[in-house]
Amino acid sequence: MSESSPEKERPLLEVRQAGKRFPGVRALHRVDLTLNPAEVLAVIGENGAGKSTLMKILAGVQEPDEGEILVDGQPVRIANVHDAMRHGIALIHQELNLANNLDVGANIFLGREPSKYGWIDRKKIREEAKGFLAKVGLNVDPDTLVSRLSIGRQQMVEIAKALSTNARVLIMDEPTSSLSSGEAEQLFAVIKELRAQGVSIIYISHRLGEVKELADRVTVLRDGENAGHLDKDEIQHDAMVKLMVGRDLSQFYPHEVHEPDEAVLTVKDLRTPVHPAHPLSFSIRAGEIVGMAGLVGAGRTETLATLFGVTPAVGGEIFVNGELVNIQTPRDAIRAGMALAPEDRKAQGLVLEMSVRENLSLASLNRDQKGGFLNRQAEDAISEEMIGRMRIKTPHDRQIVRYLSGGNQQKVVLGKWLALRPRILLLDEPTRGIDIGAKQEIYALMEELARDGVAILFVSSEMEEILGMSDRALVMHEGRITGELKREELSEEAVMQLATGRGGAKAA
Amino acid sequence: MKRILGILGLFLAVYVLTWLLADVFSGSDRASFMTEYNHVNLLKRVGLYGIISVGVAFVIITGGIDLSIGSVVCLVGVGLPFMLTELGWPVLLAVPVALGVSLVIGLAHGLLITKLRLQPFIVTLCGLLIYRGLARGLTNDQVYGFQTGFKGLKQLAVWRLPITDSFGIPAPFLIMVLIAIVAAIVLNKTTFGRYLMALGNNEEAARLSGIQTDRMKIVAYVICAALAGLGGMLFVLDTNSAAPADFGNFFELYAIAAAVLGGCSLRGGQGTIAGVIIGAALMRLLYNTINLLPWIPNNIEFAVIGTVILAGVTVDELAKRVAARRRAAQRDA
């Protein structure tokens, strides 16, 4: 941990000893953060490290339980978004917050419309919007509907909107997560331009390549606490990873090389409804863990959804244990021995208002039924077994799943499937949004299942996870599989090269 | 169990209050509420409305709605005497046809909603208009009834299980109890019931768990329409005749209100049969109260019932929030 170079300037924004608790979780504990004028500060950390909470506190979405915030050296209270705006702080959410049905100008001035005699002054909106759009290098007419812009352009509108509030501090939460590589490059150019104009940027990301390119300094959070701090010349990939994970990677990922068996799942020229032009072919062997890498929107989630019959294939063949199977619904896929832990577990994986027990047994009720009636003994047995085996932290099996932490919710999703003893396990972002402890437990479980001969295909946007857990990785770009990397060929550069569809190595 | 205590308490409160106001402090020495005659009638009405309320509860639990119940009641209610008297069909043909028509109606609703992905509100709103129109067209708006015939069939509505010389439990109430018991078993003890609850809460998660959600929903609409048809039959056997222009008017709203009072959320995934029955009972009790208390004009009936329902669901919602906050506080400690 090193302190930043001799302080000539007073920090623009300072957080001292911030703490925040949520029911059952300590999200932040004695966190410090310093932001100087006209700099890009990257805040990095694993999911659940407290980055988002810290940013919400700065943006007035949540109030801290402890600690203080200083703007220009003066203690301030940021109780709501309006206070944040007054102090020149604007947050650009991971999911954009634009009204799709309104035009660009209306979005920029939403809630602060200039008016004349009580009527909205459209002319003024147009003129001023043009100015802010120019600042972010976006050449669109302010009358364009937001819904007609690409995600990358919508993000520029968000930034223009933030600038229109005279923001001096822009907080960007995972801004590149849904951008193409071209759009990301544009965003970086805008960020550098804004810094030159004196705007400070807090840049949250776990894409370390981007951090290296952009950041003047890096603050690392881990488990809700400060884990370390890096100055410009110290920003190196390994240094960042070490601070984020808190130990060497080899210890964190319990990976051992498996002796893969015969192919369990073979896919030939599978065409998904989203990318019908790109037939996919691959196979996965028993006891093998295959990672699926790629940028958001590359078609990974869609591939899993098609394999599992959520969005049935429009062409191609799926073989399980050498036999051709016809998968039109999730039910067909389950019969063929597959299980899917979906990306959005709250929307797709769990019945949130039902109990742990009812969720754990949901997929196996049909198998265990007695002439249409529930089999309570079987249900109790499954519930007890899975709570123990997965170490689900819950006061009792009647607890409503909504009240569990993210990690325990994910364990419930996995437990539901393990009750069926699947031969093929499809995992879509299996550790998204869960704490480090639960993450490791899930990795250990994947290992255990692979040892038992389950074929695992997992999608992940976390490079470390792909590198750490895969026996083999498939990389997708814009709907096609651009490459396959064996364990010994796996590296961040190799994956990124395939994931961005670029021929050359990624510029660092 | 906790969920129905509130509505049960409300029911008992209105019951005691009605007794006090109508009998004890009425200034008249003749009781009007606490009489055997009144209670036989009340039980019969609870039975009739309870049956259609149980039906709609199944649909509401899936997160859907059925607005066509009143019109199904009407179509069956005038169709049955029409077939028996106008067409001269035998009972053994007319009754299965009446019930068959309601099954087909439910099936049509279910298919339109699941396969064509039409909204339940729209499909059943159109149903409300179509079946009413069909009933009126079929009969040319004439009242159809059984006159003095069909005594055996009418026993379904007028027979009583004798308790004392002058008091007996009316058949519709007994039928409702039977249906409620079966419904409660289906909802709580079968995989179908569990699947309905699961898909009402999160249809996507249910489908991804291998549940045939479309099929389950179709069955729910069939159950709802079938119970509406059975209800319509019992209603007309009770009243002896039906006028197609207004028979069954607003019954869907009574049924939905009873289900909501009884703890069903229109968002789906919640509800108990016991709650729905008490909800239906509370509706009929309120109606009775308004009729018996001379200082409440009968024509504000809807306003009173509406206010009570609104108060009931408001209190319920507030209680839920307090409970959620307490739970959060407990976990935090």
Side-chain angles (χ1 to χ4, degrees):
Chain A
M1 286 190 58
S2 68
E3 257 313 308
S4 66
S5 44
E7 280 179 291
K8 285 173 281 184
E9 295 174 282
R10 190 169 56 183
L12 174 55
L13 176 72
E14 241 184 303
V15 176
R16 287 185 188 159
Q17 300 287 298
K20 177 79 186 172
R21 297 184 64 91
F22 295 113
V25 202
R26 192 180 68 180
L28 288 179
H29 183 61
R30 300 189 163 203
V31 169
D32 292 327
L33 179 127
T34 309
L35 179 69
N36 295 318
E39 75 164 349
V40 176
L41 172 71
V43 176
I44 62 173
E46 296 270 323
N47 286 328
K51 296 168 295 185
S52 291
T53 307
L54 182 58
M55 296 312 131
K56 282 180 184 160
I57 283 174
L58 288 175
V61 181
Q62 279 160 358
E63 271 203 274
D65 303 331
E66 293 157 14
E68 57 177 352
I69 301 173
L70 292 87
V71 174
D72 294 326
Q74 300 297 316
V76 296
R77 177 161 178 252
I78 302 180
N80 51 48
V81 180
H82 192 78
D83 285 350
M85 213 188 271
R86 213 155 35 88
H87 295 299
I89 303 170
L91 171 67
I92 293 168
H93 283 275
Q94 203 167 348
E95 294 94 16
L96 301 176
N97 275 327
L98 295 174
N100 274 322
N101 54 334
L102 298 180
D103 63 43
V104 169
N107 265 289
I108 290 177
F109 290 100
L110 195 62
R112 298 171 291 115
E113 290 83 357
S115 61
K116 215 180 198 175
Y117 318 120
W119 300 88
I120 292 177
D121 188 347
R122 292 188 183 275
K123 209 174 132 198
K124 199 170 172 196
I125 287 187
R126 274 184 61 87
E127 279 162 14
E128 297 203 353
K130 272 185 189 161
F132 292 117
L133 291 171
K135 274 194 176 177
V136 297
L138 187 60
N139 183 26
V140 300
D141 190 286
D143 287 345
T144 315
L145 279 182
V146 162
S147 56
R148 309 187 71 156
L149 299 179
S150 69
I151 297 287
R153 293 182 147 210
Q154 290 186 14
Q155 195 159 41
M156 294 300 171
V157 175
E158 277 264 19
I159 297 173
K161 181 177 170 182
L163 295 178
S164 77
T165 66
N166 296 319
R168 295 181 296 161
V169 178
L170 272 187
I171 303 172
M172 298 190 184
D173 192 358
E174 305 271 2
T176 55
S177 61
S178 38
L179 299 189
S180 70
S181 50
E183 289 172 327
E185 295 296 337
Q186 257 175 7
L187 176 71
F188 299 160
V190 168
I191 289 174
K192 288 172 184 166
E193 175 59 28
L194 289 173
R195 175 174 57 188
Q197 292 172 13
V199 177
S200 291
I201 287 139
I202 300 181
Y203 190 90
I204 301 173
S205 181
H206 52 234
R207 297 204 179 149
L208 302 180
E210 293 173 1
V211 170
K212 214 167 142 188
E213 176 173 347
L214 282 173
D216 298 311
R217 290 185 305 124
V218 174
T219 288
V220 188
L221 296 182
R222 183 171 70 235
D223 291 339
E225 298 182 40
N226 281 100
H229 186 90
L230 300 168
D231 282 331
K232 182 82 188 164
D233 52 345
E234 300 168 323
I235 302 176
Q236 295 298 332
H237 180 268
D238 288 352
M240 289 191 277
V241 170
K242 201 162 180 186
L243 288 176
M244 274 167 63
V245 179
R247 66 215 96 171
D248 283 331
L249 274 184
S250 55
Q251 289 164 9
F252 188 65
Y253 295 100
H255 194 82
E256 46 186 80
V257 179
H258 304 107
E259 286 298 319
D261 223 336
E262 282 160 41
V264 178
L265 175 71
T266 304
V267 174
K268 275 192 190 149
D269 296 328
L270 185 76
R271 293 191 294 129
T272 67
V274 186
H275 298 287
H278 306 311
L280 306 172
S281 298
F282 56 89
S283 85
I284 301 179
R285 289 174 290 181
E288 193 180 29
I289 299 180
V290 177
M292 201 173 231
L295 301 179
V296 170
R300 298 168 301 165
T301 293
E302 291 77 7
T303 304
L304 293 196
T306 295
L307 281 175
F308 198 64
V310 183
T311 51
V314 293
E317 293 169 323
I318 300 171
F319 297 88
V320 173
N321 285 339
E323 275 180 48
L324 181 66
V325 289
N326 179 17
I327 293 174
Q328 295 298 322
T329 64
R331 197 177 151 86
D332 297 336
I334 292 167
R335 269 206 212 114
M338 294 191 208
L340 167 70
E343 180 179 20
D344 185 344
R345 66 180 157 265
K346 286 184 182 175
Q348 302 181 303
L350 295 164
V351 184
L352 282 179
E353 303 300 332
M354 289 178 101
S355 67
V356 171
R357 191 172 60 112
E358 287 166 323
N359 272 281
L360 283 171
S361 64
L362 193 59
S364 42
L365 287 179
N366 191 43
R367 178 195 62 191
D368 296 336
Q369 61 162 319
K370 287 177 173 167
F373 283 85
L374 297 172
N375 183 344
R376 297 278 180 184
Q377 282 103 345
E379 198 178 359
D380 286 342
I382 284 171
S383 166
E384 197 180 327
E385 183 198 337
M386 290 306 161
I387 289 174
R389 180 171 168 197
M390 314 284 304
R391 278 183 282 169
I392 298 169
K393 278 178 221 125
T394 173
H396 43 77
D397 66 359
R398 307 292 166 108
Q399 176 74 345
I400 301 299
V401 167
R402 173 183 292 284
Y403 298 111
L404 299 186
S405 71
N408 284 302
Q409 289 182 345
Q410 183 70 325
K411 290 181 190 173
V412 171
V413 174
L414 294 174
K416 169 175 79 178
W417 291 120
L418 295 193
L420 283 178
R421 310 197 179 288
R423 287 172 294 174
I424 300 160
L425 190 56
L426 309 172
L427 306 172
D428 199 350
E429 304 284 1
T431 64
R432 172 170 289 178
I434 70 180
D435 61 81
I436 284 206
K439 234 175 186 181
Q440 271 197 305
E441 285 178 312
I442 285 170
Y443 296 144
L445 182 78
M446 286 165 69
E447 289 296 320
E448 183 194 318
L449 292 169
R451 257 197 314 275
D452 292 347
V454 176
I456 299 175
L457 176 61
F458 79 100
V459 165
S460 177
S461 295
E462 281 190 54
M463 184 63 75
E464 306 305 332
E465 198 164 280
I466 292 284
L467 300 183
M469 287 305 296
S470 312
D471 288 314
R472 192 154 59 90
L474 302 169
V475 188
M476 291 190 74
H477 173 66
E478 292 179 358
R480 55 187 115 210
I481 295 179
T482 44
E484 184 182 326
L485 297 165
K486 295 198 187 77
R487 181 147 186 93
E488 54 273 19
E489 298 166 340
L490 271 173
S491 71
E492 179 163 3
E493 289 70 32
V495 172
M496 281 314 291
Q497 197 175 324
L498 292 168
T500 51
R502 284 186 288 188
K506 190 182 186 283
Chain B
M1 203 55 216
K2 229 184 266 171
R3 291 221 44 108
I4 65 166
L5 283 182
I7 175 86
L8 189 60
L10 185 59
F11 175 83
L12 292 175
V14 174
Y15 187 88
V16 171
L17 202 65
T18 307
W19 174 56
L20 290 176
L21 292 175
D23 297 352
V24 180
F25 302 116
S26 68
S28 149
D29 48 356
R30 270 195 53 186
S32 57
F33 177 71
M34 202 54 85
T35 66
E36 287 169 335
Y37 173 78
N38 189 47
H39 274 68
V40 167
N41 260 320
L42 195 54
L43 284 178
K44 186 168 71 190
R45 297 272 138 188
V46 171
L48 292 169
Y49 287 93
I51 289 169
I52 59 175
S53 304
V54 168
V56 83
F58 275 92
V59 165
I60 290 177
I61 283 171
T62 69
I65 194 84
D66 191 341
L67 298 176
S68 72
I69 292 171
S71 293
V72 173
V73 165
C74 174
L75 186 61
V76 171
V78 299
L80 186 67
F82 178 82
M83 287 186 284
L84 291 172
T85 60
E86 181 77 20
L87 303 180
W89 290 4
V91 171
L92 284 180
L93 178 61
V95 169
V97 166
L99 291 177
V101 165
S102 9
L103 288 174
V104 170
I105 285 173
L107 186 65
H109 290 168
L111 288 172
L112 288 169
I113 288 160
T114 57
K115 301 302 176 194
L116 288 186
R117 308 258 155 232
L118 300 183
Q119 290 173 4
F121 190 100
I122 309 289
V123 169
T124 59
L125 177 66
C126 295
L128 177 148
L129 300 169
I130 292 168
Y131 316 136
R132 171 78 52 186
L134 284 179
R136 293 179 61 172
L138 182 75
T139 57
N140 203 14
D141 258 350
Q142 282 182 46
V143 175
Y144 276 88
F146 306 104
Q147 277 98 33
T148 52
F150 305 101
K151 288 239 159 51
L153 189 57
K154 276 192 224 160
Q155 290 302 313
L156 278 176
V158 301
W159 183 78
R160 291 174 201 173
L161 176 71
I163 304 292
T164 67
D165 289 344
S166 52
F167 180 76
I169 300 173
F173 188 82
L174 295 171
I175 296 173
M176 178 209 72
V177 170
L178 199 69
I179 288 172
I181 290 172
V182 172
I185 290 174
V186 166
L187 213 48
N188 295 307
K189 304 279 180 195
T190 67
T191 53
F192 169 67
R194 179 70 65 79
Y195 290 164
L196 277 191
M197 285 288 181
L199 79 88
N201 274 305
N202 188 342
E203 187 169 348
E204 181 72 355
R207 199 166 76 90
L208 292 191
S209 299
I211 295 168
Q212 292 167 302
T213 50
D214 282 357
R215 192 174 294 185
M216 305 296 145
K217 277 162 84 176
I218 292 171
V219 174
Y221 282 94
V222 169
I223 291 175
C224 180
L227 289 181
L230 176 65
M233 218 164 81
L234 297 176
F235 272 113
V236 74
L237 289 169
D238 177 52
T239 55
N240 202 33
S241 68
D246 65 1
F247 192 69
N249 261 354
F250 287 117
F251 282 16
E252 59 283 336
L253 299 185
Y254 292 136
I256 293 166
V260 170
L261 265 177
C264 291
S265 160
L266 289 186
R267 278 177 227 110
Q270 268 176 36
T272 60
I273 297 299
V276 172
I277 298 294
I278 300 172
L282 178 58
M283 299 275 300
R284 294 335 298 170
L285 177 64
L286 280 172
Y287 184 80
N288 193 226
T289 308
I290 293 161
N291 267 304
L292 292 181
L293 296 181
W295 41 272
I296 303 182
N298 283 357
N299 47 19
I300 67 161
E301 167 204 340
F302 282 147
V304 174
I305 293 177
T307 308
V308 172
I309 296 174
L310 198 56
V313 295
T314 305
V315 170
D316 188 51
E317 187 60 39
L318 293 177
K320 248 187 269 175
R321 274 186 218 174
V322 171
R325 211 169 301 153
R326 197 176 303 153
R327 190 156 17 189
Q330 261 174 9
R331 271 188 328 147
D332 215 11

